[in-house]
Amino acid sequence: MTEARSQPLQVDGVAALDRAIAILDAFATADRSLSLAEIAARTGLYKSTILRLANSLLRGQLLERLDDGRYRIGPATFRLGALYQRSVVAVDILLPIMRDLAERSWESVAFYVRSGDARTCLYRVESKHPIRYTIREGDLLPLLAGSGGRVLAAFSGQPGEPYETIRKACHYLSIGDRDPETAGVSVPVFGPGRVLLGALTLAGPSTRVDTAFLRRMTPDLLEAAARATRAFGEDGSMLEQAARLAGAETVIGLSSP
């Protein structure tokens, strides 16, 4: 922030574009509007620089000035967001992330979406082991059983436990919940406006995939969900924080006598 104040006040070319982006980035999801002083505090830019750049952003409808002088994000950003969403193919985002998880874990990775009172396996990457649990793309499974279903239910507003805990931890680990011989861990993936897109699941036979293994893989799964969430246009910091907490809990568990 202090670097922006120490540089000459250039408002053309690349410097102007970088600073205009900084102004738009100053708005958080919870902000309905910001004052000039708030934008200056968050960006480190002089108010005079913000005013000059804001005029261009106002003309492009990327910003709006309210009657009380405050600023809010303009309607052109909605159009750009819609264009981005149409240009993003979910499989292009999810499959590379899922393949990476399968490569590191040697277990199956699936992506589930809610289908009414059930869930559907939308994408799947198979385990490298010859013995694995078999779910196919398109299979319909219960919503309130298994880690993937529990996560989908939790972030769809299902009340009570274990759903309250799932919403706090951003993951759920299950052994024998849906199938007595299957274990897995699942995390949510979000789109713009923190809309739930689906659940990312790592699972395998419980004879091989035990609690310790799933706990070790949980931070990686949460980081993967954060990457997917960012690629879909939403803030992934909540999932990254959950990954750090899960990683710390794993370290404590491993060091405990």
Side-chain angles (χ1 to χ4, degrees):
M1 290 175 67
T2 55
E3 183 182 12
R5 292 189 184 277
S6 64
Q7 294 175 346
L9 294 181
Q10 302 174 16
V11 288
D12 57 352
V14 175
L17 180 59
D18 287 343
R19 293 176 181 185
I21 292 171
I23 291 171
L24 295 175
D25 281 345
F27 290 83
T29 305
D31 296 322
R32 295 183 64 85
S33 64
L34 292 176
S35 68
L36 179 62
E38 288 170 330
I39 296 172
R42 294 186 184 187
T43 62
L45 297 172
Y46 286 109
K47 292 180 182 178
S48 57
T49 302
I50 294 170
L51 287 171
R52 286 195 289 270
L53 292 169
N55 285 333
S56 294
L57 294 171
L58 289 166
R59 286 194 295 272
Q61 294 189 312
L62 293 167
L63 274 186
E64 283 187 336
R65 184 184 289 122
L66 304 178
D67 292 340
D68 60 2
R70 294 173 67 86
Y71 293 89
R72 71 179 177 192
I73 295 295
T77 58
F78 182 83
R79 181 179 64 84
L80 292 173
L83 288 171
Y84 175 74
Q85 285 182 270
R86 284 198 295 271
S87 71
V88 169
V89 179
V91 68
D92 293 338
I93 291 174
L94 291 168
L95 277 186
I97 291 172
M98 293 169 64
R99 290 188 187 113
D100 179 58
L101 280 169
E103 182 71 28
R104 281 186 283 153
S105 67
W106 275 53
E107 298 300 341
S108 299
V109 180
F111 185 78
Y112 294 98
V113 295
R114 182 164 184 171
S115 302
D117 293 330
R119 57 182 164 122
T120 301
C121 178
L122 195 60
Y123 306 118
R124 179 173 168 80
V125 177
E126 291 286 0
S127 165
K128 292 182 177 293
H129 292 287
I131 299 175
R132 52 184 178 258
Y133 90 109
T134 55
I135 295 294
R136 297 165 299 181
E137 292 180 359
D139 280 356
L140 203 63
L141 299 175
L143 183 66
L144 300 182
S147 64
R150 302 279 190 186
V151 164
L152 289 173
F155 288 93
S156 297
Q158 186 75 17
E161 290 294 348
Y163 307 105
E164 294 291 345
T165 299
I166 294 171
R167 283 188 282 271
K168 292 175 183 176
C170 289
H171 69 274
Y172 185 71
L173 186 155
S174 70
I175 294 181
D177 186 12
R178 181 188 65 82
D179 181 327
E181 297 181 355
T182 301
V185 59
S186 296
V187 299
V189 174
F190 300 103
R194 197 161 286 180
V195 172
L196 177 67
L197 298 182
L200 193 60
T201 299
L202 187 150
S206 53
T207 52
R208 184 176 65 239
V209 177
D210 59 11
T211 300
F213 175 82
L214 292 173
R215 291 198 185 283
R216 287 198 303 273
M217 290 305 304
T218 296
D220 288 344
L221 193 63
L222 284 162
E223 288 286 356
R227 292 199 304 274
T229 293
R230 287 196 301 271
F232 281 119
E234 179 54 40
D235 181 13
S237 59
M238 180 177 75
L239 294 165
E240 290 171 335
Q241 174 66 16
R244 288 191 290 271
L245 291 174
E249 290 172 0
T250 300
V251 170
I252 290 171
L254 291 173
S255 62
S256 298

